[in-house]
Amino acid sequence: MIVVRTVADLRAALYPRRTGAVGLVPTMGALHEGHATLLRAARAADDTVVMSLFVNPAQFNEQADLAAYPRTEEADLALAASEGVDIVFAPEAAEMYPAGFATTVSVSGTLADTLEGAERGRSHFDGVATVVTKLLLAALPDHAYFGAKDAQQVAVIRRFVTDLGIPVELVVCPTSRDADGLARSSRNTRLSPDERAQALAIPRALSGIQDAATAGLRDTAALRAQGLAHLEAAGIHPEYVALVDPVTFAPVDEVAQPVLVAIAARVGATRLIDNIVLGGA
Ligand code: PAF
């Protein structure tokens, strides 16, 4: 495994490998089992696996969140090596945002304005879209891997990849969960044992909604109310519980086609998100 810090070095390392398929797993480091799942999917499908490791300042709306974001490069490189990554691209901020940087990739409309876009501010998805565009252009992968936990991020990326005609296939891997059901996140390490126990109300609220939908409840307002009640009973006052179209993120009234159920909530000081798809594959 080699570690490169510049786009030029990444391209030079990839040049002789272009005869085979290239997979890119974009990360912000602080790797956990969820990232390992993405790396394994890439390793199984691609001849060359590139992992990017860049804590992207442009997508953090809170300076405190950026400052608190775990930076664990040594452990991340060890995990990447153990998962068979070929090339790690770990640039400094100045490599990604050189002096005079003045371009933003911005997806407009409901998709990027609602839920995470509303809670974290418009600049969040602009920051994600801009950096992911740059990473895709730097590596020009055949496949790029993302986790389903960040459902809105995936939908935003899918939108601009389609709109800009970026020649990459997006591979979305199922949300990786701990044995107790909590979705894996780099932020989980910040939860105290009590907070972690409380946070379990989030996946449980989602499975309650799933069960009710499976039992025939189709009205999304009623499903939402049920999830909300579950969370409130556990002392969690969510930022949102939303039932939306998984592609456009427009609200839906009835479960007649696949519906994304998304929750965001703070548990203590830690912001967590999770989701499931009802009626999906
Ligand atoms: O999901 C993430 O970790 C980040 O948003 C990504 C896709 C690496 C862009 O910085």
Side-chain angles (χ1 to χ4, degrees):
M1 185 178 89
I2 61 164
V3 180
V4 294
R5 306 270 174 196
T6 66
V7 174
D9 285 350
L10 174 62
R11 292 200 175 129
L14 281 170
Y15 184 72
R17 297 169 168 266
R18 289 278 176 208
T19 45
V22 174
L24 172 68
V25 181
T27 82
M28 297 204 299
L31 302 183
H32 50 72
E33 181 58 27
H35 297 101
T37 311
L38 303 182
L39 294 173
R40 275 174 222 143
R43 185 68 283 165
D46 292 294
D47 299 297
T48 297
V49 177
V50 181
M51 182 186 91
S52 64
L53 199 172
F54 178 60
V55 182
N56 174 31
Q59 70 189 75
F60 285 83
N61 52 320
E62 288 174 23
Q63 281 310 305
D65 195 25
L66 173 61
Y69 202 83
R71 287 167 176 78
T72 55
E73 187 174 300
E74 210 177 310
D76 294 341
L77 294 180
L79 186 140
S82 73
E83 295 297 341
V85 170
D86 300 297
I87 304 170
V88 175
F89 175 50
E92 295 293 332
E95 177 70 7
M96 297 303 278
Y97 301 109
F101 192 87
T103 302
T104 300
V105 178
S106 186
V107 172
S108 57
T110 307
L111 175 52
D113 284 344
T114 190
L115 306 185
E116 291 300 288
E119 293 294 335
R120 303 180 70 167
R122 177 121 254 311
S123 60
H124 170 65
F125 283 127
D126 287 357
V128 170
T130 304
V131 83
V132 173
T133 301
K134 286 184 62 89
L135 293 170
L136 292 173
L137 291 175
L140 290 175
D142 298 278
H143 305 116
Y145 295 80
F146 298 93
K149 182 168 82 70
D150 298 306
Q152 196 172 1
Q153 166 171 284
V154 169
V156 165
I157 293 170
R158 203 179 280 296
R159 185 72 260 163
F160 75 74
V161 161
T162 303
D163 291 353
L164 298 179
I166 301 178
V168 64
E169 187 185 322
L170 302 182
V171 183
V172 182
C173 298
T175 301
S176 171
R177 297 182 182 279
D178 284 333
D180 57 11
L182 191 66
R184 293 194 165 109
S185 162
S186 306
R187 292 188 169 87
N188 291 357
T189 54
R190 298 185 207 164
L191 296 168
S192 70
D194 283 352
E195 288 169 346
R196 205 197 138 83
Q198 192 185 15
L200 290 179
I202 297 172
R204 287 180 186 151
L206 289 170
S207 12
I209 291 174
Q210 171 93 69
D211 292 346
T214 307
L217 188 58
R218 306 210 150 259
D219 176 37
T220 57
L223 290 165
R224 180 178 180 279
Q226 179 187 312
L228 206 51
H230 193 119
L231 293 169
E232 301 275 359
I236 295 180
H237 310 293
E239 288 177 2
Y240 59 74
V241 176
L243 287 90
V244 297
D245 180 286
V247 176
T248 64
F249 276 66
V252 286
D253 295 334
E254 226 202 327
V255 186
Q257 78 285 345
V259 172
L260 180 87
V261 188
I263 295 178
R266 274 182 204 273
V267 178
T270 308
R271 187 171 189 279
L272 301 174
I273 60 170
D274 199 353
N275 69 78
I276 51 164
V277 176
L278 303 177

